[in-house]
Amino acid sequence: MNVLLAEVAQATRRLADAGVPSPRFDAEELAGWVHGVGRGELHRVADADFDARYWEAVARREAREPLQHITGRAFFRYLELEVGAGVFVPRPETESVVGWAIDAVRAMDVAEPLVVDLCTGSGAIALALAQEVPRSRVHAVELDDGAYDWARRNTEGTRVTLHHADAFTALPELDGQVDLVISNPPYIPLTEWEYVAPEARDHDPSLALFSGEDGLDTIRGLERAAHRLLRPGGVVVVEHADTQGGLVPWIFTEDRGWADAADHPDLNNRPRFATARREVP
Ligand SMILES: C[S@@+](CC[C@H](N)C(=O)[O-])C[C@H]1O[C@@H](n2cnc3c(N)ncnc32)[C@H](O)[C@@H]1O
């Protein structure tokens, strides 16, 4: 075994002992990042290339700093985003939420679909829609100053128009015109603080995670915002916790102007996002 692969095996054991959920993946990812190669090319790194920076990175991950904060990058669908302290790291489960939204927009047969991503964080959802639905006009909204700065960096030079605003009141100039509103908002109940993984609890901003006693305060506000923004027949897509699948579709009721409210699983078959259509009068 070359020196680097032996170091990776040792790092894997250290990360496993620290409770990191995917120790081998993270040990390899950090080695690839330090040496500027992909995980599949680690065997090509010569023994002499071993670098002390690797052990510094492993120590940070051992202390449960998110992998993406150490490398400064997060992968989301076909994108590589800049992330770090002050912004929520985009999660793989959100990729299937965006996949559903992309299919919904394509099925609309609208020449230049108007899309709004509320609570955009790093800009991940808005950027994926802009990239994968080429003629879409995409707006992204973020309230938090720190997250907004990361979103600005990621959306610079792209077709996404970024707004520093509260999702509940943002973009009144688009009222009644939007084809799709999408959001991955904060949704963890405050009562579950102690059960949240240290990577999220200690590093994601709390405005990105928690939303009232039952976790649904922001989603209730988004329901009104989406109703205001969407055209009749337009669609809303909202991510939620896997324990909230029986609750969120009930926020989008017929008496509040919605049709076809439904819940959907993610790739692990866990309840993950709710969708509804703005009623056509
Ligand atoms: C769970 S994070 C998701 C970020 C991004 N959508 C993603 O999926 O990676 C939620 C984001 O919503 C933002 N946020 C919370 N309340 C908001 C509000 N009322 N208006 C706008 N943004 C808000 C937080 O600052 C955070 O960036």
Side-chain angles (χ1 to χ4, degrees), residues 2-281:
N2 79 13
V3 172
L4 182 68
L5 293 183
E7 304 291 342
V8 168
Q10 194 186 332
T12 301
R13 284 192 295 277
R14 272 178 58 174
L15 295 183
D17 289 346
V20 171
S22 48
R24 170 159 293 280
F25 177 90
D26 288 20
E28 290 178 354
E29 198 55 24
L30 288 173
W33 170 69
V34 163
H35 292 281
V37 298
R39 271 171 53 236
E41 295 164 318
L42 287 174
H43 59 280
R44 295 197 190 167
V45 178
D47 294 355
D49 286 346
F50 169 68
D51 193 321
R53 282 188 307 144
Y54 183 53
W55 289 112
E56 284 164 29
V58 169
R60 288 171 67 183
R61 188 69 191 100
E62 210 173 14
R64 304 298 294 271
E65 190 172 338
L67 175 71
Q68 296 85 349
H69 281 197
I70 301 168
T71 61
R73 65 188 186 189
F75 299 98
F76 186 81
R77 293 186 68 92
Y78 303 104
L79 298 163
E80 184 177 329
L81 298 151
E82 284 187 45
V83 293
V87 72
F88 181 87
V89 174
R91 305 292 204 269
E93 55 268 31
T94 305
E95 294 183 326
S96 54
V97 184
V98 174
W100 190 97
I102 287 167
D103 290 345
V105 173
R106 286 181 180 151
M108 280 176 186
D109 197 23
V110 173
E112 294 182 346
L114 184 55
V115 173
V116 173
D117 171 21
L118 297 173
C119 304
T120 198
S122 64
I125 294 176
L127 285 161
L129 276 149
Q131 184 183 51
E132 296 182 57
V133 186
R135 285 186 307 281
S136 57
R137 296 164 290 154
V138 182
H139 294 261
V141 176
E142 174 56 49
L143 179 63
D144 181 72
D145 293 350
Y148 176 83
D149 281 345
W150 285 101
R152 192 170 36 75
R153 238 177 277 181
N154 284 318
T155 55
E156 232 156 44
T158 73
R159 288 189 302 105
V160 172
T161 310
L162 182 63
H163 306 265
H164 196 178
D166 188 327
F168 299 161
T169 50
L171 301 173
E173 65 278 18
L174 300 184
D175 279 0
Q177 300 169 51
V178 177
D179 295 297
L180 180 109
V181 170
I182 183 166
S183 183
N184 174 20
Y187 51 65
I188 301 175
L190 278 168
T191 48
E192 287 183 17
W193 186 88
E194 61 188 302
Y195 306 113
V196 178
E199 283 87 348
R201 197 186 58 210
D202 302 339
H203 296 279
D204 284 327
S206 58
L207 186 65
L209 300 179
F210 302 102
S211 192
E213 284 289 301
D214 65 355
L216 296 174
D217 282 3
T218 304
I219 295 182
R220 289 190 197 96
L222 290 177
E223 183 270 328
R224 278 298 90 187
H227 191 271
R228 168 176 65 77
L229 287 164
L230 288 171
R231 63 164 169 81
V235 169
V236 61
V237 185
V238 180
E239 181 170 330
H240 57 67
D242 57 6
T243 52
Q244 295 165 338
L247 299 173
V248 176
W250 291 101
I251 294 174
F252 296 86
T253 53
E254 284 177 21
D255 62 335
R256 293 179 74 80
W258 297 99
D260 304 332
D263 205 67
H264 307 262
D266 60 21
L267 293 175
N268 292 319
N269 217 22
R270 296 207 175 104
R272 182 57 59 196
F273 62 101
T275 61
R277 188 173 295 281
R278 174 94 151 75
E279 189 183 51
V280 180

